Amino acid sequence: VGRVCQNLMLAAHDAGLASCPVTIHRSDDARAQLGLDDAYDVLMAVVMGHPAPRKGERRSHPRHALDDIVVWR
């Protein structure tokens, strides 16, 4: 399942779409919403959509340099 989702997400990115994997914790509820019979277990979903347009710089804190947070031995 993981590799299928990975390839799906890579193809989505190539098509200009954003994606996010989601673990399903309530398989029974997901199965009911999707109209699937009991033979299926819903373990994971991948949500996709068009990313928001970029507006200027990052709003989060600036990234730290790797050497500032990693000790090399």
Side-chain angles (χ1 to χ4, degrees):
V1 173
R3 289 190 181 190
V4 170
C5 290
Q6 171 191 346
N7 290 332
L8 179 67
M9 293 171 68
L10 287 171
H13 178 76
D14 190 52
L17 296 172
S19 61
C20 182
V22 180
T23 301
I24 303 297
H25 295 283
R26 293 169 42 184
S27 184
D28 293 340
D29 291 341
R31 187 173 40 246
Q33 286 296 314
L34 294 170
L36 300 174
D37 67 39
D38 291 343
Y40 295 96
D41 287 325
V42 182
L43 306 174
M44 182 179 210
V46 177
V47 294
M48 293 187 199
H50 293 280
R54 295 191 75 145
K55 297 179 183 176
E57 297 295 317
R58 291 172 47 113
R59 292 185 188 184
S60 64
H61 298 288
R63 293 184 185 262
H64 296 283
L66 188 60
D67 288 331
D68 292 342
I69 58 174
V70 176
V71 177
W72 303 101
R73 296 178 190 223

